[in-house]
Amino acid sequence: MARRVTRPTTPSNSGSKEATTNTNKLVFKDYFLTTRDMVMSNRFQLAMGIILIAVTLMLLIAFISFFFTGSNDYSILEQADGRRAMRGEIQNALGLPGAVIARWMIDGTFGIVSLSVLVAIALYAIRMIVAYPLKRWRLFFITIFTLLWGSITLGFAQQMIGAGSFFRWGGKFGTFAAQGATSYIQWVGLLLTLIAVLIVFLIVVDQHFVEHCQQFGMWIKRLFTKRNTTEEIENTVSSAEEDSENDNIIDIILDEPEYTDEEEENHLVDIPQLDITPLEIEPLSTEPEHEEETEEEETEEEEETDVDISVEAVKEVELSEDDPNYLFSKLGPYDPRKDLEHYTFPSLSLLKVYDNETAPVINQEEQQANANRIVTTLRNYGIEIESIKATVGPTVTLYEIVPVAGVRVSKIQNLENDIMLSLSAMGIRIIAPIPGKGTIGIEVPNENPQIVSMHSVIASKRFQEEKKMKLPIAYGRTITNDVFMFDLAKTPHLLVAGATGTGKSVAINAIITSLLYKKHPAELKLVMVDPKMVEFAPYKPLLRHYLAAMPDTDPEQVVITDCDKVINTLNSLVIEMENRYKLLMDAGVRNLEDYNDKFVSRRLNPEKLIADSLHHQYLPYIVIIIDEYGDFIMQAGKQVETPIARITQKARAVGMHMILATQRPSVNIVTGVIKANIPTRMALRTQSVVDSRTVLDTKGAEQLIGRGDSLYAGNASITRVQCAFVDTPEVDAIVEHIEKQQHYFEPYQLPEYIPEGGEGEALAPGAVDLKRLDPMFADVARYVVTKQEGSTSRLQRAFEIGYNRAGKLSDQLEAAGIVGPNKGPKGRDVLIQSLDELDKKLQELGC
């Protein structure tokens, strides 16, 4: 039988474990007490307070620096691959850590109000240093409220103002919270909520807030009170009696002599006549019965005064609804920018600034040497001159000479090549004579040409203050360094020609940039045609701001590159032109400016049916830009030339203007029909004299030096202009700024055009496609059914939208069978009576 081995339990072992546990507890307790005492000691508090103050100052410096250098640091942080590569490029005053922390705390969290965290840390640090009595939990909750409420408020403010900035005012939290709240309760609800929350918070935090509000209300009331009440007078008198040392103030103010006892009575009687404040009125210090009599007398005087000075208000004469000015008097002028009222134009900071961009650099030695060579060359051929004067431009210098009597102008013109040889110039141009002057001009390229920046012409006083031009173009600078501008609306169309590499694309970009800096998206639409597929590609993000397109156009193909689509778009533009003429004819006006003025003054009825679902609306300018026009002529010929000819012949009056650009200005490309309808031409350097004559009807373009050097032929004169240089990064920055702005839901819709033999039927101009309803359609439909009112003007006021959009919504409601046809001033009948029936209709429409 196996024996079971048993191990006895030793009592001393158990006691040892309990003793060890108790010892550990005592040691931990002692350590805790020691640590707590150390943390609570004055030295530790002072040290931590100094550290917190230092951290706060460092963060404050990083935050302040962020507002000035954050835009540059953003791009560096996003583009650099490693942090070491970024350190030397970061501009924040605290370097890379400061840039990262400031960016995260301001843009990535709660925005500008993140500074309140620094304030809280600073206050707590001061408490630790000087033992300042501070309620920590109170400070904590105030800081939390400031972060949340301030972040949402700043995000809401930036959303309403539409201000462009490289960071979000309310940070990531405030921006998304404001957008989410606005989508549910609209901006009015969010604004009232923020105000109510602030008032409740102040009531909870400040126990004297209500008293302060009451005092403020009393102060406002006293401002509008004609006379002081009896209580106010008593309080004033009592305070004056308590401060007996200031009794002589009355004498100082009035500058009166001392009176005897007998004269004092007369003095007291005369005091009211001097219009002195109630401090000097003796009856106020008498018995209460006399005070009541005084109050009754004052009340009677007030009543008498009110009766004497009361003026009966003049009744306004209400206008009849048939009066043309009725809507204008009720609603005020129509604002075409209402739909995008928060849109902000690009800033000048997006354009690059070059050195010496406002004035040309004059090389005195070069100018003198050129002048001597010109004089010597002319003398070699027996031509003497009386004087020579030089005008220095950014790229070309104009030498004006006055020949002696008897010298033939043609003799100097024939020496063009000889003068160019003596000057060793790339090309010169002789103007013989200069129109309006008794001189002959010789244009000579500068040895070191200067860049004319787009910033210098856009920021010029002339462009910024220009108000008369409808489509102002700041193209560049002349030889005299003046900003050269022209009105595309008066041109009215423009032909741009030049050989490859001479700056034709830069010239087109300068024209587009000028328009983007001056015209609101509601006032201008662009149609871009680019067979090279790359020149206008950067402008694709402007789809919902400035671009116009046919229905169902792919956003990636909004810049037209295919020849067939070019033909369809041009024919669609012809339909648009004809529709506009119908509107002008019905309005009884001759041009777009008069039509829009009449529409803004609400003298045109947007609900009136003109033809084929065509209604009056505000009409923006349409600028059609076709690059490499010759390529389409070679492919399609008359199919392209015919609609272009029609547009250039008739579209000026309806605000449609065309810009054609080509590098082959031959007679088979720039035909007689095109030249006859486009009187304004712009030539960059051409390959031959023949091309120059084709474009300008004169030679000279073949002698240009390229790189934007151009001749502008308009108003029966030719001007040499150096085109402003717009670099690709500048275009990208401008487009990116506009893309972030408030935008329309779709591009400007051109009429549908289906060529002969095409499948399907085209929508009639102004017809409604129920597959592409407005995003607000469902909300508007519920509003109309609930209110049983289908007026377009009511939709405009209720949803705070422009009349164009409200009119489109009314047409969609009619097409969907929710409202009836337009009945003029009576509005539209609502055909659906209940929301349940409407929901079924919306389900059928896919809303």
Side-chain angles (χ1 to χ4, degrees), residues 780-791:
V780 171
R782 291 188 178 91
Y783 173 84
V784 168
V785 172
T786 302
K787 298 293 185 180
Q788 287 295 302
E789 293 182 358
S791 172

Side-chain angles (χ1 to χ4, degrees), residues 607-675:
E607 298 183 356
K608 179 181 178 181
L609 181 63
I610 307 302
D612 298 328
S613 302
L614 190 64
H615 300 269
H616 285 298
Q617 59 180 321
Y618 185 88
L619 300 177
Y621 286 95
I622 297 179
V623 177
I624 306 107
I625 307 173
I626 303 179
D627 195 11
E628 296 302 340
Y629 158 73
D631 185 70
F632 293 115
I633 291 294
M634 295 182 66
Q635 293 185 56
K638 292 295 182 180
Q639 288 182 292
V640 172
E641 184 180 0
T642 300
I644 288 178
R646 292 198 62 191
I647 292 173
T648 54
Q649 284 175 347
K650 296 176 55 178
R652 172 182 182 176
V654 293
M656 298 172 64
H657 306 278
M658 182 167 288
I659 300 175
L660 299 179
T662 180
Q663 65 177 349
R664 296 192 298 271
S666 55
V667 292
N668 62 328
I669 300 297
V670 184
T671 62
V673 176
I674 297 299
K675 291 181 63 176

Side-chain angles (χ1 to χ4, degrees), residues 370-629:
N370 287 340
N372 293 336
R373 292 191 185 101
I374 292 173
V375 173
T376 302
T377 303
L378 294 176
R379 283 178 179 174
N380 291 338
Y381 290 92
I383 299 174
E384 296 291 335
I385 62 174
E386 294 181 353
S387 64
I388 183 169
K389 181 179 68 172
T391 303
V392 182
T395 57
V396 176
T397 298
L398 173 65
Y399 295 90
E400 297 183 53
I401 62 174
V402 179
V404 297
V407 177
R408 304 180 107 190
V409 173
S410 60
K411 190 175 182 180
I412 298 177
Q413 285 180 318
N414 294 332
L415 296 175
E416 183 177 40
N417 293 332
D418 299 283
I419 297 174
M420 185 169 62
L421 177 63
S422 65
L423 295 174
S424 301
M426 293 178 59
I428 67 170
R429 177 170 171 261
I430 295 180
I431 311 172
I434 297 178
K437 293 184 178 182
T439 60
I440 296 175
I442 302 176
E443 296 175 345
V444 181
N446 294 336
E447 184 177 349
N448 296 312
Q450 189 177 352
I451 295 177
V452 175
S453 69
M454 198 68 205
H455 178 272
S456 66
V457 295
I458 293 293
S460 64
K461 183 177 180 182
R462 183 182 177 189
F463 181 79
Q464 293 294 326
E465 297 182 357
E466 176 58 51
K467 302 297 182 184
K468 295 182 180 180
M469 294 185 180
K470 303 301 181 183
L471 294 173
I473 305 296
Y475 178 69
R477 291 186 180 271
T478 63
I479 291 181
T480 58
N481 205 47
D482 295 327
V483 174
F484 182 78
M485 292 182 59
F486 64 91
D487 188 358
L488 185 60
K490 301 295 183 183
T491 306
H493 310 289
L494 181 64
L495 174 63
V496 182
T500 302
T502 57
K504 187 171 68 278
S505 298
V506 175
I508 297 296
N509 285 333
I511 293 174
I512 296 174
T513 301
S514 300
L515 295 173
L516 296 180
Y517 267 88
K518 206 68 173 180
K519 305 303 292 183
H520 190 273
E523 303 164 344
L524 172 68
K525 299 300 173 184
L526 301 173
V527 176
M528 295 184 174
V529 179
D530 176 22
K532 292 190 293 187
M533 306 182 190
V534 294
E535 292 296 340
F536 295 152
Y539 297 103
K540 287 182 180 180
L542 302 182
L543 172 68
R544 294 184 291 182
H545 288 92
Y546 284 100
L547 299 188
M550 295 176 61
D552 299 325
T553 299
D554 186 351
E556 291 298 322
Q557 299 178 0
V558 69
V559 174
I560 308 166
T561 59
D562 182 71
C563 187
D564 293 335
K565 293 182 179 179
V566 171
I567 297 172
N568 293 343
T569 302
L570 290 174
N571 283 280
S572 175
L573 288 168
V574 172
I575 299 174
E576 173 75 13
M577 178 184 69
E578 299 293 347
N579 289 341
R580 290 189 171 206
Y581 268 109
K582 293 176 183 179
L583 295 175
L584 264 64
M585 182 178 63
D586 184 78
V589 295
R590 301 177 60 183
N591 53 57
L592 183 78
E593 292 80 7
D594 295 341
Y595 176 86
N596 282 338
D597 289 343
K598 204 168 184 178
F599 188 86
V600 168
S601 62
R602 300 189 185 273
R603 302 184 64 184
L604 298 176
N605 184 8
E607 298 183 356
K608 179 181 178 181
L609 181 63
I610 307 302
D612 298 328
S613 302
L614 190 64
H615 300 269
H616 285 298
Q617 59 180 321
Y618 185 88
L619 300 177
Y621 286 95
I622 297 179
V623 177
I624 306 107
I625 307 173
I626 303 179
D627 195 11
E628 296 302 340
Y629 158 73

Side-chain angles (χ1 to χ4, degrees), residues 5-31:
V5 179
T6 59
R7 295 182 180 180
T9 302
T10 306
S12 61
N13 189 23
S14 176
S16 177
K17 289 183 179 181
E18 292 179 0
T20 303
T21 303
N22 293 333
T23 302
N24 291 338
K25 289 182 179 180
L26 291 174
V27 171
F28 179 79
K29 184 176 180 180
D30 292 339
Y31 176 80

